[in-house]
Amino acid sequence: MYASLGTCPDIAYAVGILSKFNEKPGLVHWNTLKRVYAYLAGTRDLKLTFGAHQADLTGYADADGSMHEDRKAISGYAYIIDGTAVSWSSKQQEIIALSTTEAEYVAATHATKEALWLRSLINEIFEKFSCPITLFGDNQSAIALTKNHARNTSTYDSILSVGLSKKEKSN
């Protein structure tokens, strides 16, 4: 788990799925774990390095479209500074998205919250960071939804109702 969180973000998804079976792993889980170890052994000489000579903060967000048994999408993001990943996440969404657009929109929302936090961290530690932060996504409908403030009513109501029901559960 430490390797996926601290030094090898590329195995975070596999480790997250395997961790669901800690209590009673089967043969398929052990074989998958062996493949993760083989991957780590094959990439042990590779490392993350700074040096792309770009000091801008760039983000990438994506979601898998809820093809799992519980219908919850896996969303993730990565932020790059100077050619190196400085912040990343891959986790199951808390909601069941009604469409791939909604799943991608939720992923972009979480990525945007991380961008705001990274900006405040950079401002606190270094100098004032005033450059725009670029967030890349691959779903054209979700991109259009983030750009268009006059949202499609049914999509917006769906996302809003998910947010409200989540608040009710926490109370």
Side-chain angles (χ1 to χ4, degrees):
M1 186 66 92
Y2 169 77
S4 71
L5 294 175
T7 61
C8 300
D10 45 349
I11 65 167
Y13 179 76
V15 169
I17 294 297
L18 282 172
S19 68
K20 293 181 180 182
F21 303 97
N22 280 346
E23 191 172 308
K24 193 174 179 184
L27 183 59
V28 69
H29 306 112
W30 285 111
N31 290 335
T32 304
L33 181 62
K34 287 179 188 177
R35 291 187 65 174
V36 171
Y37 279 130
Y39 173 80
L40 288 172
T43 59
R44 78 175 145 214
D45 294 328
L46 301 177
K47 57 190 170 210
L48 300 174
T49 59
F50 286 98
H53 305 296
Q54 287 183 300
D56 58 338
L57 179 62
T58 305
Y60 300 87
D62 198 11
D64 77 345
S66 67
M67 294 297 137
H68 300 281
E69 292 175 9
D70 60 3
R71 305 286 299 149
K72 292 183 178 179
I74 302 293
S75 62
Y77 60 79
Y79 279 95
I80 314 291
I81 295 178
D82 198 22
T84 300
V86 293
S87 177
W88 57 85
S89 173
S90 172
K91 61 199 244 181
Q92 189 173 40
Q93 292 183 358
E94 296 176 3
I95 62 165
I96 297 174
L98 301 177
S99 67
T100 54
T101 299
E102 188 174 344
E104 295 276 350
Y105 186 83
V106 169
T109 301
H110 289 298
T112 302
K113 290 191 295 187
E114 182 70 6
L116 295 172
W117 181 83
L118 285 169
R119 178 188 295 268
S120 71
L121 178 69
I122 291 168
N123 283 339
E124 205 171 297
I125 295 175
F126 300 107
E127 58 200 46
K128 182 98 171 117
F129 185 79
S130 59
C131 299
I133 300 172
T134 304
L135 178 63
F136 291 101
D138 62 355
N139 184 289
Q140 294 302 312
S141 298
I143 293 169
L145 190 61
T146 60
K147 288 182 178 179
N148 183 8
H149 297 292
R151 295 177 173 89
N152 175 319
T153 306
S154 62
T155 305
Y156 184 71
D157 288 346
S158 166
I159 293 169
L160 184 61
S161 68
V162 167
L164 290 175
S165 65
K166 187 176 170 187
K167 271 188 177 178
E168 291 169 2
K169 285 181 185 177
S170 64
N171 290 339

